[in-house]
Amino acid sequence: MIRTNITRALYFGLVILLFTSCADVKEKKGEDKVAKKPNIVLILADDMGFSDLGNYGSEISTPSLDRLASEGTRISRFYTNTICAPSRTSLLTGQYPHKAGIGFFNEDFGEPGYEGYLNKESLTLGEVFKNGGYATYMTGKWHVGNEKPHWPLQRGFDNFFGFLDGGASYFDTKPLLKGPPSTAYLYEGNEVYNIDKEDFYLTDELTSRAIDFVKETPEEKPFFLYMAYNSPHWPLHAKPEDIAKYKGKYDAGWDELRKLRFENIKKLGLADEDWNIFKDKLLPPWNSLSTEEKSEWSLKMEVYAAMVDNLDQNIGKLLNHLGTSGQLDNTVVIFLSDNGAENMDVGKMPFTVKRNEGPVGTAGSMESYTKNWAQVSNSPLRSYKSSPYEGGVATPFIIRYPGQKEKGNVLKGGTHVVDIMPTLLQIADIDYPGTYNGTTSNALPGESFLPLLNGQDWNREQAICFEWFGDRAVWMGDLKAVSVYPGNTWELYDLAVDRTESNNIADSQPETIAKMDVIYNEWANANGVIAWSEEMSKKTPFRKSPH
């Protein structure tokens, strides 16, 4: 009897010990799962306007990004640089573009700060996150270095699928612009990728490759994914089934659509009732066009809307994959555009006219929707891509992140693209390396806006400055100074009451203008900005459109 009781006691003791050990293992696994650093998905659209998303006032169907906004946070005043390559530079490196080597474009001017590629002192997000233990991937448009030593795999990314220069066809790999042969093709890693399927559409392919990269990530590793879509950058290429959704949608014309979007933006809390709406006086009233002209212009906007619609579909595919694989709740997702809507009439330009041989929307087309529709995409803001006015630098911005306290809210913000890297590093608890591969790194000039997202009283301490092609701007709190080349006179706007920059108050605040001029010059000196001149203009064939 005594032996039986001892045996039972030993048995139950072993059971309890085994149960406790299993519980400890499960608890430890749970702790490991919680402790895993968040994944990062950084989604960049190309030349999308301020009001092109449903959650920013658009009539275009964007349910995936609308859902992201409802589950995340929008920032109503988020700024990029004035044009694509400089904005991508700041996004990738956390530096102002001149400091990182792309003071103009991916062209070498033979001047420090204007080399046309990212210098080694300016670390990319790929390099910083890889150094922090992440798998790093990129799909889409690079545009920050055409020569092989400066390609994505050489700048911190484990895998890359996309193209190197500023534009690409959505249906084939024929070059859009004259340049080095390497820039005319899609690349898979460092190798040329030749399209071998009839139903190829670039936006779809970029998403499929991104999902494949994520699937290949080792379970124990977090991943950083940079999705630099080409859409909705020209040429106007879209799938017929997407274009069909918008047939007749824009027959009312740009005058009415611009007003409609403005009303929607106000209802969403992204604009104040007393703002004026920008109207480009150089553009023709819709009702002055003939029936044939209206039909041609309507089609251009139908194709553009189809491209945005398709982009949203693809973002939905990625988010759905992250959701069904159980990764979405531990993933930071950011969406923004690289600048405001494009204003150039690309189809009539010498470098594209030879390829403009098919109907708008098809592979043979080389058309853009020009400033006529770009003023709708940027409604109600002033001007377009390449301009330091709000229409050139203000972008939709959405972030969804683990541990978010509030959902669906709109924050005023006052943040800049250089602030994204420090914000992501704080969220992921990663240190920025002081040296990398034996080179001293440029310090990050940006400021983490995580306190703002967490509901704290946060304002950017330093002013934000812009310069491109001689155009300049200084943004300090609610005040913004703007100077347009070749003039050298500062204008001043109070964005708190005049976001559309219709009332220049410079004459009434000379002390403020003097202070902002000092701030700009200090910033320019610190970042290697060269004062623009006609000699600088001769270094590039690029010509800026009037603002």
Side-chain angles (χ1 to χ4, degrees):
M1 185 70 175
I2 293 173
R3 183 178 296 173
T4 302
N5 289 338
I6 291 173
T7 301
R8 286 176 178 172
L10 287 171
Y11 172 79
F12 285 113
L14 287 170
V15 170
I16 292 170
L17 180 63
L18 182 61
F19 179 84
T20 305
S21 298
C22 290
D24 287 343
V25 170
K26 287 180 180 179
E27 186 176 346
K28 182 148 191 338
K29 283 185 177 179
E31 289 174 356
D32 289 344
K33 187 174 181 180
V34 171
K36 183 181 178 182
K37 288 183 180 293
N39 305 309
I40 311 289
V41 175
L42 181 56
I43 306 171
L44 186 68
D46 198 346
D47 292 357
M48 177 180 284
F50 179 76
S51 62
D52 272 336
L53 301 180
N55 56 83
Y56 270 78
S58 179
E59 70 294 331
I60 301 172
S61 177
T62 57
S64 301
L65 286 166
D66 293 348
R67 174 191 162 196
L68 190 70
S70 69
E71 296 176 353
T73 296
R74 281 164 290 170
I75 294 180
S76 64
R77 273 170 48 182
F78 189 92
Y79 296 101
T80 59
N81 297 316
T82 59
I83 201 164
C84 40
S87 289
R88 291 160 197 278
T89 298
S90 292
L91 179 63
L92 276 165
T93 68
Q95 304 292 333
Y96 287 106
H98 311 76
K99 189 76 170 181
I102 301 190
F104 181 71
F105 237 43
N106 55 333
E107 299 177 33
D108 188 355
F109 279 17
E111 301 280 357
Y114 296 79
E115 295 90 346
Y117 59 84
L118 302 180
N119 56 45
K120 292 182 179 179
E121 294 81 9
S122 302
L123 306 185
T124 70
L125 285 162
E127 289 166 332
V128 175
F129 275 90
K130 189 171 186 176
N131 190 65
Y134 276 64
T136 55
Y137 311 124
M138 179 187 169
T139 64
K141 174 176 171 177
W142 182 236
H143 208 197
V144 288
N146 287 347
E147 301 301 325
K148 192 171 183 178
H150 313 299
W151 293 357
L153 295 195
Q154 285 69 262
R155 293 308 308 260
F157 289 93
D158 295 324
N159 284 317
F160 167 68
F161 180 83
F163 56 99
L164 301 171
D165 209 354
S169 169
Y170 292 79
F171 294 115
D172 59 48
T173 55
K174 294 178 184 177
L176 299 187
L177 308 175
K178 293 180 179 178
S182 64
T183 65
Y185 303 97
L186 287 173
Y187 272 76
E188 192 171 43
N190 286 331
E191 304 300 323
V192 171
Y193 172 79
N194 294 307
I195 297 172
D196 59 357
K197 47 180 151 181
E198 293 183 2
D199 61 346
F200 179 89
Y201 187 72
L202 182 58
T203 310
D204 296 344
E205 189 69 19
L206 295 178
T207 306
S208 296
R209 294 307 183 99
I211 292 173
D212 288 343
F213 290 160
V214 170
K215 288 179 178 178
E216 295 167 4
T217 307
E219 186 176 353
E220 69 278 3
K221 265 197 168 189
F223 65 84
F224 171 83
L225 170 63
Y226 173 40
M227 297 192 69
Y229 283 109
N230 191 42
S231 182
H233 188 288
W234 58 269
L236 292 174
H237 286 176
K239 296 190 285 187
E241 60 268 30
D242 291 326
I243 299 173
K245 298 179 188 179
Y246 295 92
K247 182 65 177 174
K249 189 84 172 180
Y250 297 98
D251 290 352
W254 45 69
D255 296 323
E256 289 304 314
L257 264 296
R258 190 177 72 256
K259 294 174 185 176
L260 177 62
R261 286 200 184 184
F262 187 30
E263 292 304 313
N264 291 340
I265 291 168
K266 288 189 283 188
K267 292 175 184 176
L268 291 167
L270 292 160
D272 295 338
E273 288 289 337
D274 55 355
W275 287 6
N276 293 316
I277 185 170
F278 169 72
K279 173 68 170 70
D280 191 328
K281 296 178 181 178
L282 298 178
L283 302 186
W286 180 258
N287 288 334
S288 69
L289 305 181
S290 67
T291 301
E292 183 179 356
E293 288 173 327
K294 287 179 180 179
S295 178
E296 291 173 355
W297 280 109
S298 292
L299 176 59
K300 288 186 177 183
M301 190 60 192
E302 289 166 8
V303 176
Y304 179 87
M307 295 168 73
V308 174
D309 186 308
N310 176 268
L311 173 63
D312 184 83
Q313 294 173 41
N314 277 279
I315 292 171
K317 291 176 187 175
L318 174 65
L319 296 179
N320 288 338
H321 170 74
L322 295 175
T324 55
S325 61
Q327 299 178 88
L328 185 59
D329 288 340
N330 192 41
T331 299
V332 180
V333 182
I334 290 178
F335 175 87
L336 73 160
S337 179
D338 60 344
N339 43 247
E342 173 65 84
N343 59 335
M344 292 193 301
D345 191 351
V346 175
K348 295 179 181 178
M349 292 187 171
F351 60 82
T352 60
V353 70
K354 290 182 179 180
R355 279 209 61 189
N356 197 12
E357 300 170 346
V360 174
T362 68
S365 169
M366 192 56 62
E367 290 284 352
S368 62
Y369 70 166
T370 81
K371 62 170 61 179
N372 294 25
W373 285 114
Q375 67 171 337
V376 173
S377 288
N378 280 342
S379 181
L381 305 180
R382 177 177 179 177
S383 202
Y384 317 95
K385 172 183 175 179
S386 83
S387 164
Y389 293 110
E390 294 290 283
V393 295
T395 172
F397 182 90
I398 308 170
I399 181 170
R400 181 190 190 274
Y401 61 100
Q404 190 162 337
K405 294 180 179 179
E406 295 185 32
K407 297 181 178 181
N409 54 332
V410 177
L411 303 176
K412 173 183 169 183
T415 47
H416 184 253
V417 65
V418 297
D419 299 329
I420 287 180
M421 185 185 284
T423 303
L424 290 178
L425 295 184
Q426 185 176 3
I427 291 174
D429 192 24
I430 291 177
D431 293 327
Y432 181 78
T435 59
Y436 188 81
N437 288 341
T439 300
T440 301
S441 309
N442 287 330
L444 292 176
E447 303 173 23
S448 171
F449 53 88
L450 184 59
L452 172 70
L453 299 176
N454 287 336
Q456 299 176 32
D457 185 14
W458 179 90
N459 289 292
R460 208 174 190 279
E461 293 182 7
Q462 299 181 5
I464 298 167
C465 296
F466 308 103
E467 189 280 334
W468 190 75
F469 220 121
D471 292 343
R472 306 175 296 157
V474 180
W475 180 88
M476 185 175 66
D478 288 329
L479 294 176
K480 179 181 175 185
V482 178
S483 172
V484 177
Y485 184 82
N488 200 33
T489 303
W490 288 109
E491 303 165 16
L492 184 65
Y493 301 96
D494 183 353
L495 301 182
V497 296
D498 183 25
R499 183 81 192 274
T500 57
E501 297 163 303
S502 57
N503 182 28
N504 179 9
I505 59 174
D507 290 343
S508 66
Q509 297 198 36
E511 297 87 357
T512 302
I513 289 294
K515 181 179 180 180
M516 289 181 141
D517 188 62
V518 170
I519 288 172
Y520 174 82
N521 287 323
E522 289 177 348
W523 171 84
N525 290 333
N527 288 278
V529 179
I530 299 175
W532 199 261
S533 64
E534 288 308 301
E535 287 302 311
M536 293 285 282
S537 295
K538 292 176 183 177
K539 294 176 182 286
T540 175
F542 190 92
R543 288 297 173 262
K544 183 176 56 172
S545 297
H547 302 320

